[in-house]
Amino acid sequence: MVFDFHTHTFLSDGALLPMELIRRAAVNGYQAIGVTDHAAPSNMERVIAELTKDCKLAEKYWPIQAIPGVELTHVPAGSIPELAAEARRLGARLVVVHGETLVEPVEPGTNLAAAGCKDVDILAHPGLLSLEAARLAAQNGVFVEITARGGHNVGNGHVVRIGRAAGVKFVIDSDTHDPENLLTDGWAQTVARGAGLDDAEVTAALQTNPLQLIERIHGR
């Protein structure tokens, strides 16, 4: 089974129609996919509405859970609580925040704001994650991403070291933009082990934690 909660379509900067992305994920053996296009106030309502339509249709006919969501991207750190709440109100079933990756000019403080917000599900590619932010994520039930995406993944080892000390729950995500970025079970395991997870942590990141996140989504 493959779980992946961070992907993009051509509704933002991905290559594929949402339906095609979901279909390719199903063929790759995905149990669940979060379709989380980049969003800010300008496009959030449209993105959530359009993703919801394709996700509902895909789930009706194919054996995959397709979860419509957003990745709040390059928004002011102070706006994250209100935007995450607005995304929920508009129907996003999954809220990801674009963390302070080492290769982009994300505003400092974004990791802390996301980790402290209970309307956020995942802090994505958080770069030089601080112990304070990691502890907040653990306290608030915000999952911390170990990413397969090139460039963003240079911080994975640091994220694991700090996140482990704070007791965070990790998930492995692809941050797919093109079809070749999609995970397979083998590649997800490679990403997890390459980040420094041990056997028990790999199982948690690939199975236990994704199932907990899905249970939370269905329980809302």
Side-chain angles (χ1 to χ4, degrees), residues 101-103 125 127-128 147-159 194-195:
T101 167
L102 296 174
V103 294
H125 41 61
L128 297 179
T147 180
R149 187 160 180 79
H152 294 4
N153 60 8
V154 296
N156 280 350
H158 172 85
V159 170

Side-chain angles (χ1 to χ4, degrees), residues 19-67:
M19 191 64 75
E20 182 177 355
L21 175 67
I22 297 165
R23 178 58 188 165
R24 286 177 178 269
V27 171
N28 264 39
Y30 275 49
Q31 177 74 18
I33 183 171
V35 190
T36 54
D37 274 298
H38 296 291
S42 58
N43 71 334
M44 187 187 300
E45 184 171 7
R46 172 183 60 82
V47 164
I48 293 169
E50 294 185 22
L51 290 179
T52 297
K53 290 178 181 179
D54 277 11
C55 286
K56 283 183 177 179
L57 185 63
E59 286 193 330
K60 181 177 179 180
Y61 289 98
W62 298 330
I64 187 172
Q65 297 182 67
I67 305 164

Side-chain angles (χ1 to χ4, degrees), residues 27-197:
V27 171
N28 264 39
Y30 275 49
Q31 177 74 18
I33 183 171
V35 190
T36 54
D37 274 298
H38 296 291
S42 58
N43 71 334
M44 187 187 300
E45 184 171 7
R46 172 183 60 82
V47 164
I48 293 169
E50 294 185 22
L51 290 179
T52 297
K53 290 178 181 179
D54 277 11
C55 286
K56 283 183 177 179
L57 185 63
E59 286 193 330
K60 181 177 179 180
Y61 289 98
W62 298 330
I64 187 172
Q65 297 182 67
I67 305 164
V70 291
E71 182 186 12
L72 299 176
T73 302
H74 288 275
V75 298
S79 71
I80 286 172
E82 63 186 275
L83 292 179
E86 177 68 1
R88 293 253 181 260
R89 187 189 71 78
L90 292 171
R93 297 175 64 203
L94 180 65
V95 176
V96 177
V97 170
H98 187 296
E100 296 174 41
T101 167
L102 296 174
V103 294
E104 293 175 307
V106 179
E107 182 183 0
T110 293
N111 287 350
L112 272 173
C117 180
K118 293 185 178 181
D119 282 318
V120 171
D121 293 302
I122 297 173
L123 172 57
H125 41 61
L128 297 179
L129 179 70
S130 69
L131 186 57
E132 181 184 5
R135 286 172 173 163
L136 273 176
Q139 291 168 12
N140 288 297
V142 176
F143 292 83
V144 174
E145 178 183 273
I146 297 170
T147 180
R149 187 160 180 79
H152 294 4
N153 60 8
V154 296
N156 280 350
H158 172 85
V159 170
V160 166
R161 180 173 63 84
I162 297 299
R164 179 187 284 143
V168 304
K169 293 183 178 181
F170 297 114
V171 289
I172 311 297
D173 291 326
S174 68
D175 195 359
T176 285
H177 287 70
D178 299 291
E180 59 268 22
N181 300 149
L182 286 167
L183 295 174
T184 62
D185 180 64
W187 180 234
Q189 292 202 34
T190 297
V191 171
R193 294 187 185 281
L197 298 185

